[in-house]
């Protein structure tokens, strides 16, 4: 027990050191942790580490994915959902099949289905690994697409892995495989949405910030475990619960509760991310030892891993090229209809719009139509303001790193899998090389090829939002209110303005987040100040 506790303390110290030293060296902390783990795995006094892969898939990943989903701008996620869905499903399927055929060709005695099983393991990008991208100068839209892809593609990969393994022992049914995937996603979405809404409703009635945060720690597991029992994807359920929580929390939870949540969850993220990357490196000696025991050549295995990494990148580049062409067509269609929609919006506001059909345009119908128009026009403005060209597409390709999911999923291969130790080593090598090569270079590459953002655009949005906030302040009456009560009422009104703007997608997500954080900070300061109301 003492050795176990000492090992845990050493890991926490290493994680804290990497988080502190990494920014000073200009290197992402996860890369330092992988390197530290690799170094530790070859030291004679470090015991061989054998981790149950289910601990990673069911224990560490649900809270990490949940936390990432909570902080994701829901409006941006919706706008690029088609791109995210394509990367999460179609690209994983294509990559798995291509890699499966390649692996069955280069590894003697490996059937196509076992190759596709490993291809499914190697296909998904890793949500924790993608966090490296956020530390570089990458456009928010690219970050949203990469984050969304890495949050959802695990479900496709794990369902495909189970299907391929089952197909090695029985006849394959495309209909059954498709039904299994649809069921996994549908169940996970329903369970995650219900858990997210119910826990938000419960937490909104608990004023104690500490108790509220403790309950938040259970949310990803409350979503993941039932979803798995019902045949769904626990990881997708945790993501959906996070999206629901992130969207609803500003209206349901007090600023103090949300601030406490943010601080504590950031600590959880640092620790769990650190454990994921550190243990990846520490497993090297055990994986290499298994390859040696089965008399498989490490040199050949490494060459297969390098070739698989390159082939996966080629498939990803081809798909992203098609994706960029589709997004460009969508942006052009939006620009073409924008003038007509603006005219439609002006006539609706002036009351001169003639209704189609016998139903008159009542107040409620007019409001709904006006909301849809505002959101559609905001979507068009968003697509035009943040276009994805060849440079951004290259970043999307290069930032598609593999990580802990690949290593953990490979270790779930059955014990009777042909060349199992070799396949696990290939998965480990692909994940490690991807992290070290792509993760170590994505920052400099992004800074070199991507244009500088124009600060004038953000400043213009800030001025527009500030005008709305001042208008909201002027709309709050002083009558019958003490100065403190009046200021709190003003802050509530301003928060509603910010959240309404978020729902309509009128302003950039970062500008709105900064405004919301400023409003919350002032309200917390007023609450702490005490004194007469």
């Amino acid at each position: 027990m003492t050795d176990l506790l000492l090992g845990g303390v050493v890991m926490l110290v290493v994680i804290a050191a990497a988080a502190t030293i990494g920014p000073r060296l200009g290197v992402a902390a996860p890369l330092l942790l992988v390197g530290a783990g690799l170094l530790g795995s070859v030291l004679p006094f470090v015991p061989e580490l054998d981790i149950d892969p289910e601990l990673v898939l069911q224990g560490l990943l649900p809270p990490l994915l949940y936390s990432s989903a909570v902080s994701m701008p829901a409006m941006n996620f919706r706008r690029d959902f088609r791109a995210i869905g394509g990367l999460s499903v179609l690209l994983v399927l294509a990559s798995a099949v291509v890699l499966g055929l390649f692996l069955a060709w280069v590894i003697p005695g490996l059937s196509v289905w076992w190759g596709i099983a490993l291809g499914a393991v190697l296909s998904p990008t890793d949500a924790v690994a993608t966090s490296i991208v956020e530390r570089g100068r990458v456009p928010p839209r690219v970050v949203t697409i990469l984050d969304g892809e890495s949050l959802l593609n695990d479900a496709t990969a794990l369902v495909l892995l189970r299907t391929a393994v089952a197909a090695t022992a029985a006849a394959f049914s495309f209909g059954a495989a498709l039904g299994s995937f649809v069921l996994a996603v549908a169940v996970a979405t329903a369970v995650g949405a219900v858990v997210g809404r119910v826990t938000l409703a419960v937490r909104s009635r608990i004023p104690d910030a500490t108790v509220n945060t403790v309950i938040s720690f259970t949310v990803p597991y409350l979503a993941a475990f039932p979803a798995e029992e019902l045949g769904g994807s626990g990881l997708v359920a945790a993501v959906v619960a996070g999206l629901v929580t992130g969207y609803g929390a500003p209206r349901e939870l007090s600023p103090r509760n949300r601030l406490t949540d943010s601080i504590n969850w950031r600590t959880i993220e640092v620790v769990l991310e650190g454990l994921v990357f550190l243990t990846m490196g520490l497993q090297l000696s055990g994986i290499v030892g298994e390859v040696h025991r089965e008399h498989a050549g490490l040199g050949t295995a490494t060459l297969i891993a390098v070739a698989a990494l390159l082939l996966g990148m080629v498939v990803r580049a081809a798909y992203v090229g098609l994706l960029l062409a589709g997004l460009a067509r969508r942006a052009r269609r939006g620009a073409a209809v924008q003038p007509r929609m603006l005219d439609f919006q002006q006539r609706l506001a002036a009351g001169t719009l003639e209704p189609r059909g016998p139903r008159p345009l009542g107040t409620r119908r007019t409001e709904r139509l006006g909301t849809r128009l505002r959101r559609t026009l905001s979507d068009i403005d968003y697509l035009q303001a943040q276009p994805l060209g060849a440079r951004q597409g290259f970043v999307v390709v290069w930032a598609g790193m593999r990580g802990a999911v690949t290593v953990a999923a490979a270790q779930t291969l059955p014990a009777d899998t042909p060349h199992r130790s070799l396949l696990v080593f290939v998965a480990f090598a692909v994940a490690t090389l991807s992290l070290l090569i792509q993760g170590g270079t994505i920052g400099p590459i992004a800074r070199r090829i991507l244009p500088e953002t124009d600060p004038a655009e953000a400043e213009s949005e800030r001025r527009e939002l500030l005008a709305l906030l001042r208008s909201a302040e002027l709309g709050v009456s002083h009558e019958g209110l003490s100065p403190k009560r009046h200021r709190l009422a003003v802050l509530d009104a301003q928060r509603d303005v910010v959240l309404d703007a978020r729902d309509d997608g009128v302003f950039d997500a970062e500008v709105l987040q900064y405004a919301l954080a400023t409003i919350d900070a002032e309200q917390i300061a007023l609450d702490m100040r005490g004194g007469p109301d």
Side-chain angles (χ1 to χ4, degrees), residues 192-434:
V194 170
V195 169
R197 288 171 181 164
V198 170
T199 53
L200 261 183
V202 171
R203 294 173 61 197
S204 67
R205 291 165 172 78
I206 299 175
D208 189 290
T210 303
V211 175
N212 215 296
T213 301
V214 170
I215 294 175
S216 77
F217 292 156
T218 69
V219 175
Y221 300 110
L222 291 174
F225 293 162
E228 290 284 349
E229 290 297 321
L230 294 172
S233 168
L235 299 182
V236 172
V239 169
V240 173
L243 290 171
V244 171
T245 301
Y247 183 80
R251 295 192 188 275
E252 299 289 339
L253 304 181
S254 69
R256 183 190 294 273
N257 287 351
R258 285 185 281 114
L259 177 62
T260 305
D261 259 14
S262 176
I263 294 172
N264 285 285
W265 269 103
R266 181 57 193 143
T267 304
I268 294 293
E269 280 185 2
V270 170
V271 173
L272 295 186
E273 282 183 12
L275 288 174
V276 165
F277 287 110
L278 189 57
T279 53
M280 265 189 64
L282 287 171
Q283 293 178 81
L284 173 65
S285 60
I287 294 173
V288 171
E290 288 186 17
V291 175
H292 275 305
R293 282 192 291 272
E294 293 195 6
H295 307 289
L298 281 179
T300 302
T302 303
L303 287 176
I304 293 174
V306 171
L309 178 61
L310 293 175
L311 182 59
M313 202 171 297
V314 169
V315 175
R316 183 175 179 84
Y319 183 86
V320 169
L322 296 174
L323 174 65
L324 293 181
L327 292 175
R329 286 194 299 271
R330 181 187 173 195
R332 288 196 296 271
R333 286 197 300 268
V337 302
Q338 188 178 33
R340 293 199 301 272
M341 296 191 72
L342 286 170
D343 176 66
F344 195 79
Q345 185 184 45
Q346 290 171 358
R347 286 190 289 138
L348 180 67
T352 60
L353 183 67
E354 293 294 331
R356 293 182 180 179
R359 287 182 59 194
L361 285 176
T363 303
R364 189 173 178 182
R365 191 179 173 193
T366 301
E367 289 177 353
R368 285 202 305 267
L369 190 57
T371 299
R372 289 180 59 186
L373 280 171
R374 284 196 308 274
R375 293 182 180 179
T376 303
L377 287 169
S378 297
D379 291 349
I380 294 172
D381 290 338
Y382 171 82
L383 296 176
Q384 292 177 341
Q386 298 194 43
L388 296 182
R391 295 181 179 184
Q392 290 81 7
F394 182 84
V395 173
V396 171
V397 173
W398 195 250
M401 290 166 278
R402 278 60 179 170
V405 171
T406 293
V407 174
Q411 291 174 320
T412 64
L413 289 170
D416 60 350
T417 302
H419 308 289
R420 184 181 185 279
S421 63
L422 175 63
L423 301 185
V424 173
F425 176 82
V426 168
F428 177 87
V430 167
T432 305
L433 291 171
S434 174

Side-chain angles (χ1 to χ4, degrees), residues 127-152:
V128 183
T130 308
S131 65
I132 297 172
V133 179
E134 298 176 8
R135 297 167 173 86
R137 192 184 73 196
V138 179
R141 188 180 181 192
V142 173
V143 173
T144 297
I145 290 175
L146 290 171
D147 274 348
E149 174 195 7
S150 61
L151 289 175
L152 298 178

Side-chain angles (χ1 to χ4, degrees), residues 2 7 17 46 64 209 226 235 271 313 322 365 387 408 410 477 486 504:
T2 302
V46 176
L64 284 171
L235 299 182
V271 173
M313 202 171 297
L322 296 174
R365 191 179 173 193
S477 172
H486 175 259
D504 290 342

